[in-house]
Amino acid sequence: MAIRWNIIKDECVKIGGELSPLSIFMSPSWDRKIILPYFVPHDYRHFRNVEGIASGLAPLFNVGRNSFERALIGCSTWLHDIGMAAWALSIDDLSIHVDELLKDLKGSRIGDFKRELLESSMFFKGCLNEDNCRGSACNVADLGTVYISKACMNRSIDYRLRLLRFVRAYHPWISESYVEHKLPKDVTLIRELGGGAARFSSLVGEICKLHDNKVELRNRVSTFEGYEVDTAKYGALLRIADALDFNRSRVENIFDVIRNDMVNDGFFYVLKHWVFKYAVKGVDANSGGVTVEISDEAEESMVLGFLLFEVGDNLAEDYETVNLYRRLPNIVIINGGKDLTLNKYISELRFAYRKLGELKDADRLGRYGKELNRIGVEEEQVNAIISSFNDAKLKGLMNPPLDALALALTLGKNASGLADLIAQDLPSDVRSHVGELFIPR
């Protein structure tokens, strides 16, 4: 009997859809104010959006030409972020060894990656000290397998919050492991593929991992059921499609419910992950290119935040790594009847985002606090966000100018003054290149 690849793809969609709510709510027994606000949803809406973008761009990567290739695209897009639901999946059961996390990394990233692993040593069996829920001093070789202590989860909020960052950083590897361990046992895959279910699951798992830009894109050609498969092509496609999902439809319903909790509980550093997506009405992708339509209701300040954060941070590195592997088409932004080809500005926006994040001058940062006060943000909230700018625990998470802008937009305040301050703090070449359309002068 011929393999029904459409049935296999539908099964992956079903699995991803059933597990995706867990990537938002984690565990009903935990305080959602601690758990929920940290992540933008990695749920069925995200998977659906990524599949749509990937399917549109597939011809550029010479994939998606038959039902088998479309099944690989469907399965990898719907399962690539399953690692974000790791609480419910039980990471411990996957027995992920540190060597798996180090495999296939870019050579230039290995040193930093090992340092990051050691900073997360409390989540490895070989180095966790369960008496204080911290990692003991050890070497990478001593880490062993990933291990989440239920005792520490129950008594240490700091352990939970650190675990959130750990899962966020390593979820592509967790997704790969989950797919390789669980998918071969799926009844539908066994019925359709028999003994080939494990091999197919391995291909999908590898593609899921490749959506992380720390993993090297290199030719990985093999054959399966008579089809030639280069998982790097699919990984590159998934990586750019994932990065392009900054559509407001991904966040608006949930954010409307929890935005006040996020502000009141001091999660200022995550607001930018949510609110700037409201600038984008839709993303359309096909073999001719990508069109990003800016919402008619989006203020210039919100568009500025979108460009500097969603493009300059979230999109930029993925775009650059994929573009080196396979030349990408134009990404066109349509805003108020004008259009701009974004590609040539991406590196500059990435540079600008980093420079803003490095802003340390107390007087210059103080201007953002004064502007928040002027537009009516409560004094307590202004003091809290200014204090968080210098919080060592939030190093690498905060970008003070953009966090101040995100707070104002979240509260529905007029953020044009903050946008003016950001424009003044931007490198001059970014102002001159992009300013005429998007940046207040």
Side-chain angles (χ1 to χ4, degrees), residues 38 158 161-162 165 265-270 272 353 357 360 384-400 403:
Y38 196 86
D158 181 67
L161 293 176
R162 286 177 179 270
R165 297 185 194 179
D265 294 333
F267 284 89
F268 303 113
Y269 61 97
V270 297
K272 57 184 176 288
Y353 176 81
K360 296 289 188 290
I385 192 170
I386 292 296
S387 175
S388 69
F389 288 166
N390 299 311
D391 189 338
K393 291 184 294 186
L394 299 178
K395 184 179 179 181
L397 299 174
M398 297 291 293
N399 187 299
D403 290 317

Side-chain angles (χ1 to χ4, degrees), residues 2-290:
I3 297 171
R4 296 177 295 178
W5 296 111
N6 61 315
I7 298 295
I8 292 171
K9 178 202 162 185
D10 290 346
E11 184 68 7
C12 291
V13 171
K14 176 186 173 185
I15 294 170
E18 289 176 347
L19 291 175
S20 70
L22 302 173
S23 70
I24 306 172
F25 295 105
M26 307 303 178
S27 167
S29 64
W30 296 351
D31 183 350
R32 75 178 179 89
K33 292 182 180 180
I34 295 175
I35 302 302
L36 177 57
Y38 196 86
F39 297 131
V40 168
H42 293 69
D43 64 354
Y44 71 93
R45 290 170 297 187
H46 174 53
F47 302 160
R48 180 190 60 209
N49 292 347
V50 174
E51 183 187 15
I53 296 169
S55 297
L57 294 177
L60 296 169
F61 294 82
N62 297 318
V63 297
R65 299 161 296 188
N66 52 59
S67 58
F68 164 70
E69 294 181 347
R70 289 190 288 274
L72 277 182
I73 293 172
C75 285
S76 59
T77 52
W78 277 82
L79 298 175
H80 75 283
D81 278 338
I82 287 301
M84 297 292 281
W87 322 90
L89 303 179
S90 182
I91 297 176
D92 298 354
D93 291 346
L94 302 177
S95 299
I96 304 171
H97 195 273
V98 66
D99 290 344
E100 289 299 307
L101 299 177
L102 292 169
K103 188 175 69 175
D104 297 326
L105 285 176
K106 294 178 188 173
S108 60
R109 302 294 291 269
I110 291 176
D112 289 340
F113 200 77
K114 286 183 176 180
R115 283 189 289 273
E116 292 168 8
L117 285 172
L118 290 175
E119 291 173 2
S120 301
S121 59
M122 70 282 294
F123 305 119
F124 289 88
K125 202 158 198 173
C127 294
L128 170 67
N129 182 336
E130 287 200 85
D131 291 335
N132 59 17
C133 296
R134 296 179 181 175
S136 58
C138 60
N139 298 313
V140 171
D142 300 325
L143 290 171
T145 58
V146 174
Y147 170 71
I148 310 304
S149 166
K150 292 179 174 60
C152 290
M153 289 296 294
N154 289 331
R155 70 171 185 262
S156 173
I157 290 178
D158 181 67
Y159 187 86
R160 295 187 199 175
L161 293 176
R162 286 177 179 270
L163 179 58
L164 288 168
R165 297 185 194 179
F166 176 80
V167 170
R168 180 68 184 85
Y170 301 106
H171 76 274
W173 287 265
I174 300 170
S175 296
E176 177 190 37
S177 184
Y178 174 82
V179 170
E180 290 185 347
H181 281 76
K182 305 294 186 180
L183 204 58
K185 301 173 185 176
D186 181 85
V187 173
T188 299
L189 262 73
I190 292 173
R191 184 184 69 230
E192 295 296 324
L193 294 173
R199 174 63 180 143
F200 180 80
S201 301
S202 178
L203 291 171
V204 174
E206 185 171 274
I207 296 167
C208 290
K209 178 178 66 178
L210 285 166
H211 89 270
D212 192 287
N213 60 48
K214 292 186 288 292
V215 182
E216 186 176 9
L217 288 173
R218 64 171 187 268
N219 291 337
R220 301 159 183 259
V221 181
S222 61
T223 58
F224 179 71
E225 295 292 337
Y227 297 98
E228 183 176 276
V229 183
D230 181 356
T231 53
K233 286 183 182 180
Y234 294 89
L237 174 63
L238 175 59
R239 187 179 298 184
I240 193 62
D242 183 49
L244 285 167
D245 183 27
F246 33 53
N247 195 323
R248 66 182 297 162
S249 67
R250 182 177 175 184
V251 299
E252 56 188 344
N253 293 333
I254 295 176
F255 190 55
D256 290 342
V257 173
I258 66 170
R259 65 170 74 204
N260 290 332
D261 287 341
M262 298 169 81
V263 172
N264 293 335
D265 294 333
F267 284 89
F268 303 113
Y269 61 97
V270 297
L271 296 175
K272 57 184 176 288
H273 293 263
W274 296 75
V275 73
F276 294 145
K277 288 182 174 64
Y278 277 73
V280 179
K281 182 178 180 179
V283 178
D284 182 66
N286 55 57
S287 58
V290 178

